[in-house]
Amino acid sequence: MTERLYYTNPELLQFDASIVSSVEKDGKYLTRLDRSAFYPTSGGQQNDLGKLNGVDIIDVIEENDDVVHLSESIVGNEGVQVTGLIDEERRFWHRQIHSAQHILSQAFARLHGLTTMSVHLGDEYGNIEVDSDHVSQSQLDEVEKLANQIIRDNLPVDILFIEHTELSNYPLRKVPTRTGRIRLIKIGEVEYSACGGTHVNSTAQVQLVKIISTVKIRGRTAVNFLCGTKAVEDYCNRYKIVADVSQHLTCNISDIPSKIEKFEAELKEQSKELTKLQKELLPVKASQFAELKMLKNNIHYVVAPVSDLNQKLLGNLCGLVADDISGIAVLTTDKKIAIASSVEQVNASEIAKVLSSELGFKGGGNQKAAQLGASETVDVKTITEKVNIFLDEL
Ligand SMILES: [Zn+2]
């Protein structure tokens, strides 16, 4: 069994130990020590990284009460003395996020009677799953406020070791089922939890907690949160972006939402105006397309792609072209096809049927007009061939 140095001192970043065993497995070296300050992945907290005698430790796992250090090259053989170095920044982040999770879980329990069912403490943000399928925004706001009060109060975070028989003496958030010696993390007088993780020394080291989103999952709510150095970084990034936007819009930060609303309304108005103008110009556009007419089986027809046109006007334009040439018009945009017929012997919906069955388009219509949609970009050349064959076979 490895003596876990982080149990009593989460600030310890350098330590001496001796190798108990060294094994090669699947191209990796597995080193066990008599004592280690490396945290192995467990309880929702990720492993530490660092070095053993200068060799990079790429993963740390738990196996039968032992801490196992994984590396690409050998650290040393059994009996060799080693010096371990823990990656400071990664460790501190894990301490911040784990304490932030305890504080948030306590706030959910205390304010709304919600139990934390599982936790995940990631590289960028943390996640706790609470036992309710609905948590309101005001509940989240209250939880965040209490969590930040606990942080501001700079409460000491203590590590206690007790026997399981003493558990009833402590107001634990969740009573563990394990027996024997139990490690407790105590935050001031507000939060007690059985936990093997690494924590900050006092709540002020968590800096701040910010709930960023929630997701409903398996009848529960997963709450994603930022804290510590990552929350401060995030604040600085967001501030920079918002300041940039306010400069572009030449307005105060607080006026950004109303300014964007105003722009959206203007854009909508302009788009309406543009559609109106395009509609008025449709006859001119139609006569340009009419010049492309070809003859097959004594029927005039046009097959052509259309750009720079509101999609809603494609059918109107197609009808005008067919009328202009007293024949058939097939106009396409990127993923839409309009078909129009101004001659009795050709039914637009029959052409639509052929294109649907042979090229996989979806849609339909009537004698005079039909419309089809495509999932991929429409190939005008292929459509021209199909229309040619159709007119030939009339
Ligand atoms: Zn914990």
Side-chain angles (χ1 to χ4, degrees), residues 317-329 339-343 368:
L317 177 63
C318 197
L320 289 176
V321 177
D323 285 347
D324 258 19
I325 61 172
S326 299
I328 311 301
I339 304 157
S341 167
S342 284
V343 285
K368 287 183 83 66

Side-chain angles (χ1 to χ4, degrees), residues 98 101-102 195 199:
H98 202 149
Q101 177 261 308
H102 279 216
C195 175
H199 288 266

Side-chain angles (χ1 to χ4, degrees), residues 219-234:
R220 298 172 180 169
T221 302
V223 180
N224 296 320
F225 65 94
L226 274 176
C227 66
T229 42
K230 304 274 180 184
V232 175
E233 272 172 26
D234 183 69

Side-chain angles (χ1 to χ4, degrees), residues 46-316:
Q46 293 188 68
N47 62 284
D48 280 318
L49 292 175
K51 289 178 190 293
L52 281 178
N53 274 3
V55 174
D56 284 329
I57 298 306
I58 54 168
D59 198 3
V60 186
I61 56 170
E62 219 172 16
E63 233 177 56
N64 306 324
D65 275 342
D66 280 336
V67 175
V68 183
H69 311 76
L70 277 72
S71 55
E72 304 272 7
S73 56
I74 189 164
V75 175
N77 292 319
E78 194 184 325
V80 167
Q81 295 295 305
V82 293
T83 297
L85 287 174
I86 308 288
D87 179 325
E88 186 174 357
E89 206 175 311
R90 184 175 166 92
R91 162 63 67 86
F92 192 65
W93 165 244
H94 291 163
R95 292 172 67 198
Q96 285 188 312
I97 195 171
H98 202 149
S99 295
Q101 177 261 308
H102 279 216
I103 293 168
L104 276 173
S105 291
Q106 175 60 234
F108 272 114
R110 186 169 288 234
L111 294 172
H112 306 299
L114 296 177
T115 304
T116 296
M117 306 304 286
S118 72
V119 306
H120 174 71
L121 310 173
D123 287 332
E124 296 299 325
Y125 64 92
N127 167 285
I128 63 178
E129 240 178 75
V130 294
D131 63 340
S132 169
D133 63 355
H134 180 72
V135 183
S136 70
Q137 187 56 49
S138 65
Q139 284 179 315
L140 294 172
D141 292 344
E142 283 166 25
V143 163
E144 193 178 274
K145 192 174 173 196
L146 176 58
N148 282 309
Q149 264 166 18
I150 294 171
I151 292 165
R152 184 201 61 192
D153 288 346
N154 196 19
L155 304 177
V157 179
D158 296 313
I159 302 164
L160 311 178
F161 289 93
I162 63 162
E163 290 303 317
H164 75 273
T165 49
E166 300 171 85
L167 281 171
S168 58
N169 298 335
Y170 297 89
L172 291 159
R173 183 158 43 83
K174 195 176 174 187
V175 180
T177 49
R178 280 192 305 114
T179 54
R181 200 169 175 241
I182 289 173
R183 183 177 184 259
L184 295 186
I185 297 297
K186 170 181 179 288
I187 300 179
E189 297 299 330
V190 300
E191 151 76 14
Y192 290 77
S193 280
C195 175
T198 54
H199 288 266
V200 294
N201 298 335
S202 66
T203 57
Q205 284 184 308
V206 176
Q207 295 176 286
L208 86 105
V209 159
K210 178 77 196 131
I211 293 173
I212 50 174
S213 60
T214 57
V215 184
K216 282 186 184 45
I217 185 166
R218 299 183 292 270
R220 298 172 180 169
T221 302
V223 180
N224 296 320
F225 65 94
L226 274 176
C227 66
T229 42
K230 304 274 180 184
V232 175
E233 272 172 26
D234 183 69
Y235 174 75
C236 294
N237 282 338
R238 281 170 195 268
Y239 193 87
K240 221 168 129 191
I241 293 166
V242 171
D244 203 23
V245 172
S246 92
Q247 207 181 4
H248 268 86
L249 299 181
T250 55
C251 68
N252 292 324
I253 286 175
S254 57
D255 293 333
I256 290 175
S258 61
K259 193 115 188 190
I260 288 178
E261 258 173 43
K262 195 176 145 234
F263 282 153
E264 278 175 343
E266 279 173 15
L267 194 65
K268 213 170 159 189
E269 203 45 50
Q270 283 172 2
S271 161
K272 247 192 210 165
E273 189 62 25
L274 186 67
T275 307
K276 200 179 138 215
L277 289 173
Q278 283 187 342
K279 215 169 182 171
E280 282 169 14
L281 285 172
L282 278 185
V284 178
K285 220 171 171 79
S287 61
Q288 289 166 352
F289 279 102
E291 285 169 20
L292 305 172
K293 74 178 176 189
M294 294 181 289
L295 194 65
K296 182 66 99 182
N297 215 354
N298 277 329
I299 296 170
H300 281 116
Y301 74 101
V302 168
V303 182
V306 181
S307 56
D308 305 329
L309 183 77
N310 185 320
Q311 294 275 319
K312 286 180 194 158
L313 300 178
L314 185 67
N316 301 36

